[in-house]
Amino acid sequence: MATSSKSSALERLKAYYNDEECVCTACGFVDDEADWAGETDGRVVEYSHECPCCGAVMEHTVDLTVA
Ligand SMILES: [Zn+2]
């Protein structure tokens, strides 16, 4: 579990997006089941979520090197 601290931080951020950014910025659809996907290359994490209503993709990039 060498990466436990980093992964838990990523999970917290993902949970934050799931809670706080469940409203589509394009159409206003509220996705109660929003589940952001997170991908990391070890330096940055790219979170994305596609609106199930209009297909707009919201993205966040988090730089781990400054976190
Ligand atoms: Zn939408």
Side-chain angles (χ1 to χ4, degrees):
M1 297 290 282
T3 59
S4 61
S5 63
K6 179 179 286 186
S7 63
S8 66
L10 298 181
E11 286 302 310
R12 279 202 302 275
L13 198 52
K14 181 175 172 180
Y16 171 83
Y17 288 139
N18 286 346
D19 284 345
E20 299 297 326
E21 305 217 7
C22 58
V23 180
C24 176
T25 54
C27 74
F29 178 77
V30 179
D31 187 356
D32 289 330
E33 301 295 320
D35 185 21
W36 286 73
E39 289 188 357
T40 182
D41 63 2
R43 295 182 60 85
V44 299
V45 186
E46 294 185 346
Y47 291 97
S48 64
H49 172 62
E50 182 176 327
C51 175
C53 183
C54 74
V57 177
M58 293 183 285
E59 294 179 306
H60 284 289
T61 301
V62 178
D63 189 341
L64 295 177
T65 63
V66 298

